[in-house]
Amino acid sequence: MSSSPHTLTPGSSVGSIMLLVLAALLPAIAAYYFFFGPAILISLALASATALAAEALMLKLRQYPVKFFLSDGSAILTGWLLALSIPPLAPWWLVVVGTGFAIIVAKHLYGGLGNNLFNPAMVGFAVLMISFPATMTHWPTPLMLAQHPISIGEVLQYYFSGALQGVNLDAVTMATPLDTLKTQLSLQHTVSEVKNMPIFGSFGGKGTEAIAAMYLLGGLFLLQRRIITWHTPVSFLLALTLVAALFNGIDSSRYASPLFHLFTGGAMLGAFFIATDYVTAPTTPLGKLIFGTGVGLLEYVIRVFGGYPDGIAFSILIMNAAVPLIDAYTQPRVFGHDSGVKS
Amino acid sequence: MRTLHKFHGGVHPPQHKAESNGLPIAPAPLPKRVIVPLRQHIGAPAKAQVKVGDHVLKGQMIGAADGYISAAVHAPTSGTVSAIDLHAVPHPSGLPDLCITIEADGEDRWIERQRIDYKTAVPDAVRHALRDAGIVGLGGAVFPSYVKLNPGQQAKIKTLVLNGAECEPWITSDDMLMRERAAEIVEGIRIMAHLMQPDEVLIGIEDNKPEAITAMQSACQGTSFEVVAVPTLYPGGGEKQLIQVLTGKEVPSGQRPINIGVICSNTATAYTVHRAINHGEPVISRVVTVTGNVQKPQNFEALIGTPISEIVRQAGDTSHYIMGGPMMGFDLTNLNVPLTKAINCVIAASPALFPPKPAAMPCIRCGQCAQVCPCNLQPQELYWFSQSRNFDKARAYNLFDCIECGCCSYVCPSHIPLVSFYRFAKSEIVMQDREKIAADQAKERFEFKKQREEREKQEKAARMAEKAAAATAAKAAAAASGEMEDPEAAAKKAAIQAAVERAKAKKAEAAALSPSPHPSPVEGEGAKNTEPT
Ligand code: SF4
Ligand code: SF4
């Protein structure tokens, strides 16, 4: 005996949604591999293993059915999003500490699946950023990797020994394009001068702009499959574009173009995969628009005027805190009513 | 072409109509015994008009409408009343209800039938005939039709909507009735239109029923009735949704369609209106879809009161039965219940057709439920407030506007039985309201008693004071002037003064005490506003 409805959408489950999101990340991961070598694969594997172990541990401690919840795939997604946000060529403990913190503290200590206020991957990122700022801003560059290709074996060697025989790590890593731009601008160079540097591509960073384009592609796939709605990514990217255009219009020698901002750092990843996280974003259409706009604006402000090279994690965390309020004040009008919520 | 409107959300569950609409409607065999519940409609149960041992004729009224919102029930066949007692009935509560059992004599002999010339009769006489023929909404809501077809204060009915949408999967009873008996349905619509005098008559049929649409269109030729094909989208047959699609108007929360000048009635109901007025036949049978895990899915025209076990021949691995459609129907585990006016479909369910639901996960706030809710509610918030028993919030977020259509549960990736939570919260709130009213009344009674006692005490004190005052006044007067007034007159004056004051006090007290009108529990928030068909 069960109550109506007696039938459910075939194949729909939390696990299948998470699987689709993971699948939507694959093109970007492929591009990542192409430009930055195999390090990302090891980083993703390590993040997945850590996420699953931490999740299982917490489920067991909280006396939840471990296998049932472990199979929902949400922990792996958190691990992947974190791994994709941090430098791939970094000591192994960086991704482990970040993922562990994300799952144990940000997810489970806040009540577990569906209850956490803050995006776990971004909490993990923020913790790493604050604790290990130097490691977090050193990324391998495609150009230098082309001169010193690094094999999987070498990546592993670096991961666990912290050193790479025959290769000077400083020769293959440097600050991200966003970071470089900021540093160089503070040295009184103009945007166009800086962008002639080899790490920059045609409109973003070399390599990273292609990865960003793949995030966009994956995001469009999620839109098409109705896993996400257009509200958050569109408002996010629109806000970022408009504010970047405004400053770029005021002084194009000091402020990069909107296109540059859209295709560098975590903008695309954030717009389609992080700001759209169900649990930590608003559920109402208007709420999503406000949330997306807020993240887009904060992202720009932190990137350009703040102390960190990219603002995606902090802007999302700040807006996460406002979600309950946003939801409460953006209830849509109910059928047959003049308003959403009765006072 | 008429411009159609959209309602918010909706879902496309697999239709499963083809299983049962391939064969014509078949008459179900005459049962040996019929069990007729006295409550087959919304409102007060009918009052039994027969005793055990009475012989009744087919079509004879055996239960009369009791009060305004009620409907009559009739003997579906001729025979002898063998019991008037509690019997299992098909109802979500699973509780037995009062039924009249008739042992059929096999003759199936009709009572004398009287047709009514509705064009010359006064409208009230026609409405009375509908009430006495037991006409109720056959889409599932079973609201007495004569009440619906009474415009009352509403001066002008703009639109009469006939609901032939049949949006629930598996059910094809309206579809088949429209295909086979379109002309008679249209006769029934004529009677309704005559009673209501609407500006327009729209017949809404979902576009997955092309045969029914064609049949109704040709039957409507020469009338002003318009057959409108509406997009197939569940719950497009919900009363408020269909009205929105056809007219673009929203029925305000807590109100009925008539408040916006619309009347909506099921096409199967129109058929029974025709039978009742033009043939004098009350509702003693209905078309019911028997489908799912059965040997031959088909529609049957069966007598009300027929044990459902006599209509359903299920295949071996049937696990349970669904009364109604899969989106809003309810489960029964045994078929020892009679067919009632509300049952349009019986689905024999097997694990293959209706797999057991997976265990629920926590809500992940994906918002898919909100995207499909036809009422534009936020089901995830309602769920949150319902399961945490935050009922005031649930009500503020318009829980009572939920029509329990099941769209939200249907799409929820966490497989949360959302509708069960809403039913639970609604019944809790109704109960709390009732308790509160009872408590308020008790409190009021207590206060009243206290005040009365207080008043009596005061009065007593006042009387004593009065006497004393009169005495002193008299004395004083006497002392002041030996001749001006006699002491008796002075005492009288003081007494009158005191009486006037007392009367004034009483009046004020009475005003303070006059009982305030009680707020009714959830008036205008009908637990179920509509039932999609
Ligand atoms: S569909 Fe289910 S999981 Fe998603 S928000 Fe609604 S209740 Fe929560
Ligand atoms: S059952 Fe209620 S809350 Fe759920 S979709 Fe239907 S009307 Fe909306």
Side-chain angles (χ1 to χ4, degrees):
Chain A
M1 296 275 279
S2 66
S3 89
S4 62
H6 303 274
T7 164
L8 303 176
T9 312
S12 154
S13 69
V14 177
S16 66
I17 291 178
M18 297 298 164
L19 217 60
L20 276 176
V21 180
L22 291 174
L25 286 169
L26 291 179
I29 293 172
Y32 214 128
Y33 179 84
F34 181 78
F35 287 102
F36 294 96
I40 183 64
L41 300 184
I42 294 170
S43 180
L44 284 171
L46 207 54
S48 307
T50 312
L52 286 176
E55 178 96 344
L57 175 75
M58 291 313 286
L59 287 171
K60 191 145 182 102
L61 288 178
R62 298 177 63 212
Q63 301 180 343
Y64 276 66
V66 176
K67 213 169 134 217
F68 178 65
F69 278 98
L70 214 53
S71 59
D72 70 24
S74 61
I76 296 188
L77 181 60
T78 299
W80 281 28
L81 291 176
L82 183 73
L84 288 169
S85 313
I86 65 178
L89 205 53
W92 64 272
W93 49 261
L94 196 69
V95 72
V96 170
V97 168
T99 309
F101 198 89
I103 298 288
I104 293 171
V105 178
K107 183 175 181 181
H108 281 283
L109 294 190
Y110 273 90
L113 182 69
N115 292 303
N116 47 298
L117 181 60
F118 296 102
N119 186 306
M122 291 302 100
V123 172
F125 181 93
V127 166
L128 296 181
M129 192 61 153
I130 293 167
S131 319
F132 316 104
T135 328
M136 284 291 282
T137 48
H138 263 76
W139 287 60
T141 69
L143 195 77
M144 295 168 188
L145 282 172
Q147 289 157 13
H148 308 267
I150 298 179
S151 69
I152 287 221
E154 286 172 318
V155 175
L156 286 173
Q157 188 194 343
Y158 175 73
Y159 258 60
F160 297 105
S161 71
L164 212 48
Q165 267 166 16
V167 184
N168 177 3
L169 195 69
D170 286 339
V172 290
T173 65
M174 69 172 294
T176 62
L178 266 177
D179 209 10
T180 311
L181 180 67
K182 204 179 220 169
T183 323
Q184 296 297 322
L185 285 176
S186 67
L187 298 174
Q188 306 305 321
H189 291 111
T190 67
V191 170
S192 48
E193 280 168 15
V194 181
K195 280 180 74 178
N196 282 329
M197 291 171 65
I199 61 159
F200 292 92
S202 27
F203 42 88
K206 189 163 272 162
T208 50
E209 64 193 10
I211 297 172
M214 290 299 135
Y215 285 135
L216 174 61
L217 192 74
L220 293 178
F221 167 73
L222 292 183
L223 273 175
Q224 189 262 331
R225 296 301 299 264
R226 293 168 180 268
I227 298 294
I228 58 174
T229 65
W230 59 270
H231 305 82
T232 312
V234 167
S235 57
F236 179 125
L237 297 176
L238 199 66
L240 182 60
T241 307
L242 290 180
V243 67
L246 177 73
F247 282 96
N248 185 243
I250 292 171
D251 184 354
S252 65
S253 69
R254 294 205 51 79
Y255 299 102
S257 71
L259 204 60
F260 175 81
H261 280 286
L262 289 178
F263 283 90
T264 46
M268 285 295 172
L269 178 66
F272 288 101
F273 292 89
I274 300 174
T276 52
D277 172 45
Y278 294 147
V279 179
T280 56
T283 53
T284 63
L286 179 60
K288 287 176 184 172
L289 290 175
I290 295 172
F291 183 80
T293 307
V295 177
L297 293 179
L298 284 172
E299 154 97 319
Y300 187 84
V301 169
I302 297 173
R303 251 183 196 188
V304 175
F305 307 107
Y308 291 99
D310 196 1
I312 187 72
F314 294 104
S315 53
I316 288 203
L317 292 176
I318 291 170
M319 289 310 288
N320 281 164
V323 166
L325 209 63
I326 295 177
D327 266 343
Y329 284 98
T330 57
Q331 290 294 313
R333 188 185 71 85
V334 172
F335 179 96
H337 283 266
D338 297 330
S339 64
V341 184
K342 281 185 271 191
S343 44
Chain B
M1 267 303 275
R2 169 170 293 276
T3 22
L4 293 181
H5 305 263
K6 274 196 169 127
F7 61 90
H8 182 265
V11 293
H12 286 286
Q15 298 188 12
H16 292 292
K17 303 269 194 187
E19 281 89 335
S20 57
N21 67 10
L23 294 168
I25 300 171
L30 191 70
K32 282 202 216 50
R33 166 188 292 168
V34 288
I35 304 123
V36 184
L38 285 165
R39 190 206 315 261
Q40 298 187 45
H41 45 262
I42 293 197
K47 236 196 336 233
Q49 303 292 301
V50 289
K51 308 182 301 292
V52 173
D54 284 1
H55 187 263
V56 292
L57 292 173
K58 184 184 178 88
Q60 179 179 335
M61 189 194 289
I62 53 175
D66 189 13
Y68 185 56
I69 302 197
S70 183
V73 297
H74 302 78
T77 185
S78 58
T80 309
V81 175
S82 64
I84 303 177
D85 58 4
L86 293 178
H87 190 282
V89 293
H91 190 270
S93 71
L95 297 174
D97 207 356
L98 202 58
C99 298
I100 298 181
T101 304
I102 300 169
E103 306 295 329
D105 59 15
E107 289 173 29
D108 210 24
R109 199 146 51 84
W110 270 100
I111 196 167
E112 194 194 331
R113 283 163 277 180
Q114 262 178 345
R115 62 183 305 274
I116 294 177
D117 185 356
Y118 67 90
K119 287 190 185 126
T120 55
V122 287
D124 269 345
V126 180
R127 275 190 277 271
H128 260 122
L130 293 176
R131 185 188 65 180
D132 290 343
I135 310 278
V136 296
L138 293 186
V142 282
F143 188 78
S145 298
Y146 88 100
V147 180
K148 210 178 216 181
L149 292 173
N150 191 352
Q153 301 298 316
Q154 189 75 25
K156 184 71 203 140
I157 298 299
K158 217 188 143 296
T159 312
L160 172 61
V161 170
L162 271 297
N163 189 343
E166 199 161 57
C167 62
E168 270 261 21
W170 294 94
I171 309 178
T172 57
S173 58
D174 289 350
D175 182 9
M176 295 310 292
L177 195 72
M178 287 188 286
R179 288 191 205 189
E180 295 184 11
R181 302 181 199 173
E184 285 147 297
I185 294 173
V186 172
E187 283 310 312
I189 300 174
R190 272 189 223 276
I191 298 167
M192 292 177 163
H194 179 79
L195 284 177
M196 306 309 299
Q197 298 294 322
D199 293 343
E200 56 176 359
V201 176
L202 305 177
I203 304 163
I205 306 174
E206 279 195 347
D207 57 13
N208 60 353
K209 291 180 261 302
E211 295 91 342
I213 292 173
T214 316
M216 289 298 288
Q217 267 166 344
S218 58
C220 285
Q221 247 154 38
T223 70
S224 60
F225 309 160
E226 190 183 336
V227 177
V228 187
V230 298
T232 301
L233 176 64
Y234 179 86
E239 183 174 72
K240 293 183 176 180
Q241 282 67 43
L242 185 62
I243 291 171
Q244 190 178 18
V245 168
L246 290 174
T247 68
K249 290 189 219 165
E250 283 182 26
V251 180
S253 172
Q255 296 191 23
R256 291 197 284 129
I258 196 156
N259 296 99
I260 54 166
V262 179
I263 296 269
C264 184
S265 189
N266 189 267
T267 44
T269 313
Y271 175 77
T272 59
V273 168
H274 158 71
R275 295 307 301 179
I277 302 301
N278 294 333
H279 297 273
E281 292 175 7
V283 184
I284 51 164
S285 68
R286 71 157 298 149
V287 178
V288 55
T289 305
V290 176
T291 184
N293 196 35
V294 291
Q295 282 156 7
K296 204 165 67 174
Q298 191 175 6
N299 281 281
F300 293 95
E301 182 162 28
L303 294 183
I304 301 296
T306 306
I308 290 180
S309 54
E310 295 193 17
I311 319 171
V312 181
R313 293 251 160 67
Q314 82 279 14
D317 60 337
T318 296
S319 51
H320 61 284
Y321 305 89
I322 300 168
M323 302 284 130
M327 296 300 287
M328 290 188 74
F330 55 93
D331 274 4
L332 277 190
T333 42
N334 85 76
L335 293 182
N336 182 27
V337 291
L339 179 71
T340 66
K341 295 174 189 175
I343 303 296
N344 51 6
C345 181
V346 182
I347 306 174
S350 65
L353 293 175
F354 294 92
K357 292 183 208 164
M361 308 236 348
C363 168
I364 55 168
R365 292 172 41 89
C366 67
Q368 296 195 8
C369 48
Q371 286 168 40
V372 298
C373 176
C375 303
N376 211 15
L377 293 163
Q378 299 289 307
Q380 77 281 8
E381 306 282 0
L382 295 179
Y383 162 65
W384 182 253
F385 296 135
S386 299
Q387 59 104 31
S388 58
R389 302 183 67 96
N390 195 344
F391 296 134
D392 288 342
K393 271 283 204 204
R395 195 199 292 240
Y397 276 65
N398 302 303
L399 174 66
F400 281 93
D401 283 274
C402 165
I403 59 171
E404 299 180 13
C405 66
C407 288
C408 50
S409 304
Y410 179 73
V411 299
C412 176
S414 287
H415 310 128
I416 303 170
L418 296 165
V419 179
S420 312
F421 281 96
Y422 306 151
R423 290 209 187 101
F424 159 75
K426 282 179 187 175
S427 62
E428 287 287 300
I429 292 173
V430 170
M431 230 145 72
Q432 280 183 1
D433 281 350
R434 265 198 217 127
E435 274 163 21
K436 184 165 180 307
I437 286 170
D440 283 352
Q441 281 171 344
K443 194 167 148 219
E444 208 167 280
R445 272 199 299 274
F446 175 73
E447 301 270 306
F448 188 79
K449 186 168 161 242
K450 227 168 69 184
Q451 276 181 0
R452 196 189 63 214
E453 284 168 1
E454 188 70 13
R455 194 182 63 220
E456 279 169 2
K457 223 156 81 193
Q458 274 172 7
E459 277 173 1
K460 207 164 159 195
R463 271 199 303 277
M464 308 267 281
E466 213 172 88
K467 257 191 199 153
T472 22
K475 245 187 229 158
S481 62
E483 71 222 54
M484 248 179 65
E485 258 178 79
D486 66 318
E488 221 167 305
K492 241 182 212 159
K493 211 163 150 195
I496 289 168
Q497 183 77 23
V500 167
E501 239 128 64
R502 210 163 57 223
K504 262 193 208 153
K506 230 183 209 167
K507 224 180 191 169
E509 203 172 358
L513 262 181
S514 72
S516 56
H518 308 143
S520 81
V522 277
E523 190 150 40
E525 297 184 319
K528 254 191 197 178
N529 290 330
T530 30
E531 294 212 25
T533 57

